[in-house]
Amino acid sequence: MTPNRNADRPRIDAHEKVLGRALYAADQPFPGLLHAMTVPATIAKGRILSIDTAAALQVPGVVRVFTHADFSQIRTTPAARGAYGQPGKGYQPMTAPQVRHRGEPVALVVAETLEAVVEGAEAVTVRYAEDPFSARMDDDLASPEPEAVGQLASGDAEAAFAAAVHTIDVEYRHPQQHHNPIELISTTAAFEDGTLRIYEGTQSAAAFAGGLAGMMGMEPQALRGVSPYTGGGFGQKNGVQEQSVLVASAALLLRRPVKLVMPRGQLFHTASYRPQSRHRVRLAADGDGRLLAGIYETVQQNSQYDGFGSDHGATPPRMYGYGAWRGSERIVRVDTQTPGHQRAPHEHPASHATECALDELAGALGMDPVALRLANDTQRDPITGKPFSSRHLADCLKRGAARFGWDRWTNQPGALVAGNGDRIGLGVACGSYKAAMTPSVTTLRLSAGGQCRIATSGHEMGQGIRSVIAAELIDVLGVDPDKLDIRIGDTGHAPQHLTAGSWGAGSAAPAARAAALKLREELSQLTGAALSDEPVPVQLARTRRPYLEVSVDTVPLGKDRQAIEQLRRGMPVTTGPEYPDFLAFSWIAHFAEVHVEPSTGRVRVRRVVSVADCGRVMNRRTAESQVRGGVVWGIGAALREAAEIDPRFGGVLNNDLAEYVVPVNADIGAIDVDFIDEPDTRLNLSGVKGLGEVAMVGAAAAIVNAVHNATGRRIRHLPIRIEDLL
């Protein structure tokens, strides 16, 4: 069956969420539930000399105070707390008296009530021996020589740059930023049916449960990871958190359910974050604007003890037809917790630097920035020479320019003025993100009464993955959406793959479609004839069978059956963007209009037009929501968000939503979203590519370029502050 264009349907779980019936991990009710709270370290580096718990144990309701003496048996391996199958977050606090970063847990208080556990945690007194530390990339005690961690090259970029007439050489800086999802990070551990179930708002229930089991010396099947809903993951919840094994171990020792919800202020110092980075970009072009060379060198912050790879240079060379390219990546180690993936982890900072640099090149050439990008469109990857599975970036630019009214753009900064005197700026930038896929094990059961139950891999993080699965079942089987039971995010129902990297829809949709097609095929064999256009449940009822059930293993392109076995063991198994015959990416073009008040420098983003090429659009409503969310995050990145680091004590000064400034409703103007909506069936059965991450890529750069167009000032760091424009 050829995939159909999908209607604009309500989210499959919309009513459940609005009515409060969608229970998140921390909402799970358990009799005899104990509450836990960590005591954060008040130094950035050193050693614990003593922990006085006497006052805490005198607080009515406090059951126990755990320290590193209680948890020294926890196993810490580099892979235990990693994501994407890579080593990372191997350091586990409270297994020894050492302190590696400010805010890490040094004690865990457990009590009968939330009030008692908070009071008890505040009563714990810790004495330390402090060591010198570094909190920022530029501090004297940061690693003196950045470590080289990767490079990508094609052709002789240095020679092409040296010979070119038109060149630019600029450096852009990106700050440390934090996720701040509405659902705080939490862990609840409880014994049910002889199994220790761990409820956590995670993006990886299987790897999470398997990692915990390994850390606790248990068999993997002894733990069940459950993530019913995740209230915003964005990469922060794709591994085992610092508190996870502590809560699970406490429940095991106390033989009672234990829940901990990490306060937001502590998350700034325990959870992963987007690291600070520097980006030097050199571009060369001929007189017609054809790109002759790109040289891209990055330096990224990292922790002293764990690995988080720098991958800024993977996407920019695929954006345009560069004649030659050279990219290099280095890291600088500081004394903080390990950074990690945050929506469009490296692609967002990379697009900020390279798309703004491209705008600067257009200015040097006297070219229209849209025309420069169109002049360098390509259907082949400049690095490998392989074709793209599909690429409609030029269509995104052309359609976006028409919807936005790009013909108003002028190369003269400040030429457009609003009626109230505000300077109007117009900016454009593009983005891409890999189209990746993962294996799935799916069981689909359809009853003659129309009830349809599917168990497959995936985590609902607000992105609408249940709606994606529902769309395929409705398209292939004609089932009633109100009779769907979609079971995901639970290792008790199906092996769960990490949902991240924008591969959720690209993996879950083909799995659901493959299962639905197999069910149609088996029903056809039962009836001895091809199925009609009637809903499949109606045709099943005629066979007088109560139900029909099928199971399907979905192996993505470039993988073999071993991927299914790795999935069953909780190991991440991803493929893409490079496949045997092509490369696959999603693409987007953003157009931004800003108004800058001339006397105060206040910037308002009045309008954004975004056009995406994400293959087949699975649900128009959730897809538009994804893009709008990415644009809002781009506005925050461009004008609001930055962690303010205290070099004296190693902490984040603005560690709450009062001072870590994110966009609010008053900051957001019109966001107009459109899609090319061309299925990419070379990539998978459903013709779908990812959307969640690419939505943000390029959004901040479009705003920065618009600010330059309004003011003539080229700001090469984020966020742009009022003082930058005064």
Side-chain angles (χ1 to χ4, degrees), residues 268-412:
F268 277 77
H269 302 105
T270 60
S272 60
Y273 57 93
R274 193 192 304 278
Q276 183 183 1
S277 55
R278 297 194 299 267
H279 308 255
R280 184 186 179 191
V281 185
R282 287 180 279 169
L283 300 178
D286 63 19
D288 296 324
R290 185 168 59 90
L291 290 168
L292 304 175
I295 304 171
Y296 182 36
E297 299 163 319
T298 69
V299 181
Q300 174 191 283
Q301 173 180 311
N302 213 323
S303 69
Q304 295 283 6
Y305 52 83
D306 271 339
F308 175 62
S310 179
D311 202 22
H312 294 96
T315 300
R318 276 69 192 247
M319 284 298 303
Y320 306 106
Y322 289 95
W325 179 270
R326 183 179 68 79
S328 64
E329 316 260 354
R330 297 182 297 165
I331 60 173
V332 173
R333 295 191 178 275
V334 298
D335 296 299
T336 66
Q337 78 270 30
T338 303
H341 300 88
Q342 183 170 332
R343 196 173 198 179
H346 297 100
E347 292 78 5
H348 155 64
S351 70
H352 162 237
T354 57
E355 289 290 310
C356 288
L358 201 67
D359 213 61
E360 295 200 49
L361 179 63
L365 290 166
M367 284 187 71
D368 181 316
V370 172
L372 177 62
R373 288 166 171 84
L374 289 173
N376 288 282
D377 189 36
T378 179
Q379 293 298 319
R380 287 190 173 272
D381 170 33
I383 301 298
T384 65
K386 291 183 177 182
F388 295 113
S389 61
S390 64
R391 175 181 162 114
H392 302 286
L393 181 58
D395 294 332
C396 293
L397 279 164
K398 293 172 184 176
R399 188 181 299 185
R403 291 177 74 109
F404 182 74
W406 183 254
D407 54 2
R408 296 178 297 149
W409 180 85
T410 171
N411 199 27
Q412 181 62 42

Side-chain angles (χ1 to χ4, degrees), residues 488-512:
I488 55 175
D490 188 337
T491 58
H493 295 314
Q496 296 298 307
H497 195 280
L498 168 67
T499 303
S502 208
W503 58 63
S507 304

